[in-house]
Amino acid sequence: MDGEHSALSGVERERERLPPIYNSSAPAGFGRGAKQPFPSLGTFISTLSQRRDAGGRGFAGGMTGTLTSTQWLRHGRELPPICSDVRQKQRLSIDTLPPEVKAPFPCDPVIPLRTKTTKEFQEDMERAVQSGDWREVREFYLTTFDSFIEINAAFKREANGSFNTVDDSGVNAKFVNAVYDALLSTPQDIQKSVLKGIINSLLREWKGPRTKDDLRAYFILVQAVGKAFQAAGRAPPAVYLHPTVSCRAGRTPTSNQVLLVDSLGHQNAANSVSAAPIMPFTDFYNITLEHIDFMEEYRTWQNYGNSNRFSFCQFPFILSTVVKKAIIQKDSEQQMISQARQSLVSKVSRRQRVDMNLLFLNIKLTRKRCDLKKKLRVTFVGEAGLDMGGLTKEWFLLLVRQIFHTDYGMFTYMKDSRCHWFSSWKCDNYSEFQLLMGLAVYNSIALDIHFPLYCYRKLLTPPTIPCDQNALVGMATATLEDLQQIMPELARGLGELLSYEGNVEEDFYLSFQVFQEEMGVVKSHNLKPGGDKIPVTKQNRKEYVQLYIDFLLNKSIYKQFAAFYHGFHSVCASDALMLLRPEEVEMLVCGSPEVDMSALQKAAQYEGYGKTETTIRCFWDVVLAFPLELQKKLLHFATGSDRVPVGGMADLNFKISKIDVPTDWLPISHTCFNQICLPPYRTRKELKHKLTIAISNAEGFGLE
């Protein structure tokens, strides 16, 4: 009884501390006399903590033990409601409330004190590596990257000190670098947890104005992300950051989403300047952005540039080549429509008869630059074919073969690098170098050409034609690595010159003069004024190599490439080119090099056949077993080109149709529609024989 009486007394004492509940309709036992001042929430929680620590008996009816947060919530729901009249009675002015009830104005949070030093952390790492026990290191990483406060606690030199961040960020850079470098040596689960912690810290909504500690933590995290991705096995950023970036989908992005894109920008920049990129640039693509109104994004960017008006075009590295190609195509279509409308209005205003041919670029009309903006239409003399796209692809195929032939003299084939480069021969008219690539991109035709990547970098230098007609174009900075792409043997020799330890002047006996063969005649060129009298020495050999590379890749072919540049940009005069990397221009011009017949099978459509019918099953058995050469011939037979479009096989809209003719007929194709028509062959052997004959003799057009 004494124990029970003691417990009850304890309960009574606790009840005295609780705030009164006013309810005129409350059942007996709930009214507890005169109104008492409200205790603070901290006092109440402190009381509960004391009760828990004391391990005494609980509340109401002698319940023993402590209540969990879930139990408190459950019992809280069982309390009687507070009536409206009570709410009126309790509506007090903030001025009349006790000080402990008033909410304080928000202030900078107090940063906890963390005392671990660089040396102590490195010792922890050494013990973990030797023993295999990573618990202490894991706990450090998980705690440190859990929040901005913890990041400051770990890496700020004085936890609650004030730093002039213009001159001193207050970051313990040595400790930061040690922690990031050690991350590469930790187990994979720690690496992934750190990456997750970083992303969660960046995603967490910030309330109110940014503090210096927020910015300090963000600065540290931006440096961390690239290292964390590298440690986590080159994980694509899209896996972690893009879902949040993507949720914009036509609405104004939150500040955190903009920060995430900006963070990706820092990673992309670091990745681009790295000698050995951590990840392919395509890993930064966000394919979900292919489903937004990217033309609206493009127009916003055109109108407002990189101002405060957000557009994903401000961050082109996250836009896939599919999006960029679509933007260029839409932009080209708008230019085509505009040019056709102008031609039509001009004819009508002069009361001239309107000829539908004026809406197309006929090759005979290429003297007029304005006609280049019209849709290309091709007619082969002596062949009955209507150009719905297939004849255009065939024309480009034949044209490429012609102008890249060594006998033609426009380009030189470099056997060592297996690519083409510009011939250094001089002529009076460089119009031959114009139009080809520009017309192809403008008309969405993929070309089977092989230029080094440096060529596409030159095409983007600058990405749009300068207003000053005398401005130099295509003069991209060239390096030994660029020369390696084109002339690997010469690049290797120049590399040996740079690393030679002996007497350069006496052993190499070179001057700042080089020799080049042009149309069978060897000509000399000074790399700098008086170059023939300036010997190459150990002191000036770097200058010699740089001037030699610049001469080979820029100056010696300037007129040829300038014509090539202006031809390309006179057709593809689009601001969208500023969004492209050189690699992406190459993909637009040449398409994808990957020939994936399995992907084509998945995307194929059928007309007159079911996908499980014998003829179709035999067709795919044969095609999937073809060598790459025959697979490319099949693509050319069906589409007019053996190149895969940027969007992959699915973008071909490939169709197999049934044709009711005897089985001794060969398959036929409609390249304008990427369609193959198959007779109902009954066996695999018969289909393979007829298909191989058809695709191996697939040039020319005719109408039966």
Side-chain angles (χ1 to χ4, degrees):
M1 291 295 292
D2 291 340
E4 182 180 350
H5 177 75
S6 176
L8 289 175
S9 299
V11 170
E12 291 298 328
R13 283 195 299 272
E14 293 299 335
R15 283 177 178 169
E16 291 300 321
R17 297 188 185 185
L18 294 176
I21 298 178
Y22 295 93
N23 192 333
S24 59
S25 60
F30 275 87
R32 287 196 290 269
K35 180 170 66 175
Q36 301 294 328
F38 287 105
S40 68
L41 180 61
T43 303
F44 184 59
I45 293 175
S46 176
T47 303
L48 296 182
S49 299
Q50 292 172 8
R51 167 67 60 183
R52 180 194 61 197
D53 296 338
R57 296 182 182 271
F59 307 94
M63 182 184 296
T64 59
T66 58
L67 296 179
T68 65
S69 59
T70 305
Q71 290 171 319
W72 273 111
L73 288 173
R74 186 173 67 249
H75 287 284
R77 294 192 194 101
E78 295 170 359
L79 291 174
I82 299 176
C83 298
S84 58
D85 60 332
V86 175
R87 293 194 182 94
Q88 292 294 334
K89 293 177 183 178
Q90 297 296 347
R91 186 174 296 164
L92 303 175
S93 168
I94 191 169
D95 295 327
T96 64
L97 291 175
E100 64 268 19
V101 178
K102 296 180 181 179
F105 288 101
C107 59
D108 290 345
V110 176
I111 298 174
L113 184 63
R114 299 283 184 260
T115 59
K116 189 178 289 291
T117 65
T118 304
K119 183 179 180 181
E120 290 171 344
F121 172 77
Q122 291 172 338
E123 290 173 350
D124 291 344
M125 280 294 300
E126 290 176 5
R127 284 195 299 270
V129 171
Q130 293 173 1
S131 66
D133 184 358
W134 291 91
R135 284 177 294 180
E136 189 171 354
V137 173
R138 180 182 289 105
E139 181 64 24
F140 170 80
Y141 274 111
L142 295 184
T143 301
T144 299
F145 292 100
D146 178 66
S147 66
F148 278 16
I149 292 178
E150 289 293 345
I151 291 171
N152 277 282
F155 299 123
K156 192 175 177 183
R157 288 202 303 274
E158 295 179 22
N160 292 290
S162 179
F163 291 91
N164 180 359
T165 55
V166 175
D167 302 320
D168 183 3
S169 66
V171 174
N172 186 342
K174 182 179 179 181
F175 193 17
V176 171
N177 291 331
V179 170
Y180 289 164
D181 290 341
L183 185 59
L184 296 172
S185 304
T186 61
Q188 193 173 32
D189 65 314
I190 296 180
Q191 297 170 3
K192 291 184 177 179
S193 296
V194 170
L195 186 57
K196 183 178 178 181
I198 291 172
I199 301 307
N200 287 337
S201 295
L202 288 172
L203 292 179
R204 191 169 292 118
E205 289 289 341
W206 294 347
K207 304 299 183 183
R210 307 289 188 263
T211 67
K212 290 181 179 180
D213 287 333
D214 288 333
L215 297 178
R216 182 180 296 104
Y218 177 69
F219 170 73
I220 293 170
L221 285 181
V222 167
Q223 299 177 71
V225 174
K227 185 72 71 174
F229 279 130
Q230 182 180 1
R234 301 186 179 185
V239 174
Y240 301 97
L241 295 181
H242 283 328
T244 301
V245 175
S246 304
C247 72
R248 175 177 186 258
R251 63 179 175 82
T252 303
T254 66
S255 59
N256 273 359
Q257 289 167 350
V258 175
L259 283 173
L260 284 175
V261 181
D262 187 51
S263 176
L264 277 173
H266 285 286
Q267 298 172 55
N268 177 68
N271 192 60
S272 298
V273 300
S274 175
I278 298 172
M279 60 188 72
F281 69 90
T282 52
D283 280 357
F284 287 91
Y285 287 166
N286 186 340
I287 59 174
T288 59
L289 296 180
E290 295 173 9
H291 306 290
I292 68 171
D293 186 355
F294 43 76
M295 288 308 295
E296 179 63 27
E297 299 285 332
Y298 177 62
R299 285 188 288 269
T300 299
W301 174 69
Q302 277 188 308
N303 294 332
Y304 297 96
N306 291 327
S307 65
N308 293 332
R309 186 73 176 269
F310 181 87
S311 167
F312 279 116
C313 290
Q314 295 169 343
F315 307 93
F317 59 89
I318 66 174
L319 299 178
S320 69
T321 313
V322 173
V323 170
K324 293 169 184 173
K325 177 187 177 184
I327 290 175
I328 291 176
Q329 283 182 331
K330 294 284 186 183
D331 202 22
S332 298
E333 288 171 4
Q334 291 171 3
Q335 293 180 37
M336 289 179 184
I337 293 170
S338 176
Q339 186 57 49
R341 184 185 293 117
Q342 291 179 22
S343 298
L344 188 60
V345 170
S346 177
K347 284 283 187 181
V348 172
S349 64
R350 294 199 300 266
R351 299 178 182 273
Q352 296 178 348
R353 180 175 175 272
V354 176
D355 183 357
M356 292 304 295
N357 283 324
L358 66 85
L359 301 179
F360 297 92
L361 166 62
N362 189 307
I363 299 304
K364 296 177 182 177
L365 303 177
T366 53
R367 292 180 183 177
K368 298 182 180 179
R369 184 169 295 275
C370 62
D371 286 328
L372 298 175
K373 294 290 184 182
K374 297 177 180 177
K375 177 77 174 172
L376 180 63
R377 188 173 73 177
V378 172
T379 301
F380 284 96
V381 177
E383 291 194 19
L386 299 176
D387 190 8
M388 302 295 290
L391 292 177
T392 298
K393 287 185 277 189
E394 176 77 3
W395 178 75
F396 272 109
L397 177 68
L398 298 175
L399 181 64
V400 165
R401 287 183 186 174
Q402 177 70 20
I403 67 174
F404 280 91
H405 197 282
T406 53
D407 293 342
Y408 204 68
M410 286 180 64
F411 298 97
T412 300
Y413 182 69
M414 317 301 291
K415 292 182 180 179
D416 291 339
S417 55
R418 291 187 284 186
C419 69
H420 286 92
W421 192 241
F422 296 83
S423 174
S424 60
W425 60 268
K426 304 296 189 294
C427 67
D428 297 329
N429 184 5
Y430 290 99
S431 61
E432 299 280 3
F433 285 94
Q434 297 185 13
L435 307 180
L436 171 68
M437 282 173 48
L439 279 175
V441 173
Y442 192 72
N443 287 273
S444 303
I445 306 297
L447 301 177
D448 184 16
I449 59 179
H450 304 278
F451 281 127
L453 187 62
Y454 180 69
C455 174
Y456 300 100
R457 206 161 90 232
K458 286 170 70 71
L459 270 179
L460 294 178
T461 310
T464 56
I465 295 180
C467 298
D468 183 0
Q469 295 183 351
N470 296 320
L472 297 177
V473 296
M475 298 292 286
T477 302
T479 65
L480 197 60
E481 288 73 23
D482 296 320
L483 186 65
Q484 179 75 30
Q485 298 174 14
I486 307 165
M487 307 171 189
E489 284 296 326
L490 178 58
R492 191 176 301 112
L494 292 176
E496 291 174 356
L497 170 63
L498 291 175
S499 60
Y500 188 67
E501 297 293 338
N503 190 314
V504 172
E505 183 176 358
E506 293 183 0
D507 295 346
F508 283 86
Y509 200 67
L510 295 171
S511 68
F512 278 72
Q513 183 183 59
V514 294
F515 300 89
Q516 194 173 52
E517 183 180 345
E518 298 176 9
M519 305 297 288
V521 178
V522 177
K523 296 184 178 180
S524 62
H525 303 273
N526 284 346
L527 298 178
K528 59 191 297 187
D532 57 322
K533 297 180 175 61
I534 303 174
V536 177
T537 66
K538 199 168 188 176
Q539 289 70 37
N540 64 17
R541 59 183 172 180
K542 286 185 179 180
E543 180 190 12
Y544 169 80
V545 169
Q546 186 56 50
L547 290 174
Y548 194 7
I549 294 172
D550 186 58
F551 171 77
L552 290 172
L553 303 188
N554 287 319
K555 293 179 179 177
S556 67
I557 59 165
Y558 180 77
K559 290 185 178 179
Q560 297 91 315
F561 190 86
F564 191 71
Y565 174 95
H566 285 291
F568 179 84
H569 287 274
S570 62
V571 184
C572 290
S574 173
D575 292 336
L577 291 174
M578 289 189 280
L579 305 176
L580 299 174
R581 295 172 56 101
E583 297 92 340
E584 293 169 328
V585 178
E586 181 179 25
M587 289 184 69
L588 289 178
V589 171
C590 303
S592 171
E594 301 292 332
V595 177
D596 186 354
M597 285 297 170
S598 296
L600 185 64
Q601 180 183 14
K602 292 177 183 177
Q605 305 169 36
Y606 303 97
E607 186 177 71
Y609 283 117
K611 64 191 307 183
T612 59
E613 288 192 41
T614 301
T615 303
I616 298 301
R617 286 191 284 107
C618 290
F619 175 83
W620 289 115
D621 286 345
V622 168
V623 170
L624 293 175
F626 270 160
L628 180 61
E629 182 183 357
L630 284 181
Q631 288 180 343
K632 286 190 172 184
K633 285 187 175 182
L634 173 67
L635 271 184
H636 173 239
F637 174 72
T639 69
S641 171
D642 63 359
R643 310 298 293 177
V644 180
V646 168
M649 291 292 195
D651 277 9
L652 286 175
N653 295 317
F654 178 67
K655 180 185 284 187
I656 301 176
S657 300
K658 186 175 184 178
I659 180 172
D660 291 321
V661 296
T663 55
D664 57 351
W665 279 46
L666 296 175
I668 62 175
S669 66
H670 301 294
T671 56
C672 306
F673 308 107
N674 299 335
Q675 182 180 21
I676 285 182
C677 298
L678 288 178
Y681 301 120
R682 297 182 181 86
T683 66
R684 183 178 184 277
K685 181 179 180 180
E686 182 182 29
L687 188 146
K688 180 179 180 180
H689 176 66
K690 295 290 176 37
L691 184 61
T692 303
I693 293 174
I695 65 177
S696 299
N697 299 274
E699 288 189 6
F701 288 79
L703 295 177
E704 287 77 13

